[in-house]
Amino acid sequence: MARLMVVEDDETIGKVLEQSLRQHGYDVVWQRTGRSAVVAAEAGFDLVLLDLGLPDLDGVEVCRRLRGLIPQAVLVILTARQDEMDVVVGLEAGADDYLTKPVRLAELQARLRAHLRRGPVAPQRAALVIGALEIDVAARRVTLGGSEVALRTKEFDLLAKLAEAPGVAVSRDTLMAEVWDAHWYGSTKTLDVHIAALRRKLGDTAPPGAVVPQIATLRGHGYRLEQPG
C-alpha cells in the first residue's frame, strides 16, 4: 500500500482529498501546515500532494525541504496559482509534477497512479558519452567536462532517454510514456519545464571550451539531443 501525505490547509479540500485517496486504497496522512508536513516527512512517504498556499511557510520552501528529507518520494504540487512562473519555481524546487485547482478527482487519481507505478528509466547501456557529456546509468551520475551535474530523478531519466539515440527526434508522447508513464493523463507542461531545467543546468555546469550537446525543440513533435559535430 502506497503511503501518501496531503499538505492542505483548506478543511473542505483536505477532507475530500483524504477520503478520495483512502477510498482508492492509499495510506493517507493529512497535514494542514508546512511545518507539520516537514516534521511528518521523517516517517517517509511514497508521494506528497502539496498545496503552495500554506498559512505558515511558503509552499515552494516546503517543497524544497521535503525534497531534501525524502529524496525518493514523488512530489506533486496542487495549487490555485496558475501563473507559469509559479509552476516553474515549484518544479525547480523539487516537484515532479503540478496540478492546478480546481482539479477533477479522476485526473488527480490518474496522475498519482502514473507517478507511483513508474520507476526510474533504465537504458541498456551502462554509460552514454556524447561530446563532453557522460551519463553513468548504473550510478545515475552525469558529468560534463569532468564536472558533475546535479539532476533530479526525472531530469536524469529524461536526459538518459534523449541520450540513447543522439541526433534522433523523440516525440513528446514517447518521452511522457518512457519517463513518466504510458497512461499519462492531462497536461504535459511538466516535460517542457524539465527540458528547460536540463538546458540551464548543462549550460551552468559546462567548463570553458567543453563540447556540450544541445537539446533542440522540434515544434509540434518533441525534442532531439544534438550530436556535437
Side-chain angles (χ1 to χ4, degrees):
M1 179 186 297
R3 183 169 167 79
L4 275 61
M5 177 164 63
V6 174
V7 188
E8 172 61 65
D9 67 312
D10 186 290
E11 289 291 324
T12 300
I13 296 175
K15 186 175 295 185
V16 169
L17 290 173
E18 182 183 38
Q19 292 177 348
S20 175
L21 292 170
R22 287 189 186 280
Q23 289 171 0
H24 281 76
Y26 298 116
D27 178 11
V28 183
V29 172
W30 174 18
Q31 299 295 335
R32 294 163 175 79
T33 68
R35 288 189 174 87
S36 65
V38 170
V39 172
E42 296 181 2
F45 290 92
D46 299 300
L47 184 145
V48 177
L49 191 59
L50 174 65
D51 179 28
L52 291 184
L54 299 172
D56 57 340
L57 295 174
D58 182 76
V60 172
E61 176 59 26
V62 175
C63 182
R64 189 174 291 110
R65 294 189 190 184
L66 292 177
R67 176 52 70 204
L69 290 168
I70 41 178
Q72 299 307 313
V74 176
L75 301 184
V76 179
I77 288 174
L78 178 60
T79 179
R81 303 178 189 176
Q82 299 191 26
D83 185 84
E84 183 171 333
M85 184 52 64
D86 287 322
V87 174
V88 171
V89 170
L91 290 171
E92 290 182 344
D96 296 290
D97 192 17
Y98 76 97
L99 290 165
T100 55
K101 299 176 182 176
V103 63
R104 293 181 296 170
L105 289 177
E107 178 179 357
L108 173 64
Q109 294 289 354
R111 293 281 276 269
L112 298 191
R113 284 195 302 271
H115 280 297
L116 289 169
R117 68 174 166 244
R118 185 69 189 175
V121 172
Q124 296 297 312
R125 288 173 285 176
L128 305 170
V129 180
I130 304 99
L133 178 68
E134 182 171 349
I135 303 171
D136 185 332
V137 178
R140 294 185 66 81
R141 295 181 62 186
V142 174
T143 56
L144 188 56
S147 300
E148 186 163 357
V149 185
L151 298 180
R152 295 188 287 115
T153 300
K154 293 301 184 186
E155 292 170 351
F156 178 91
D157 293 342
L158 180 56
L159 181 60
K161 181 61 186 177
L162 290 170
E164 285 182 5
V168 176
V170 185
S171 71
R172 296 178 67 87
D173 288 344
T174 297
L175 290 171
M176 293 306 300
E178 295 292 328
V179 177
W180 277 268
D181 189 85
H183 306 286
W184 185 260
Y185 185 92
S187 171
T188 60
K189 180 63 178 176
T190 187
L191 170 60
D192 302 317
V193 175
H194 278 73
I195 288 288
L198 271 176
R199 286 171 172 154
R200 187 185 67 257
K201 289 181 178 182
L202 292 175
D204 290 347
T205 307
V211 180
V212 184
Q214 302 297 310
I215 301 175
T217 299
L218 308 175
R219 297 193 180 281
H221 183 75
Y223 296 95
R224 178 180 63 235
L225 186 65
E226 301 284 21
Q227 180 75 271

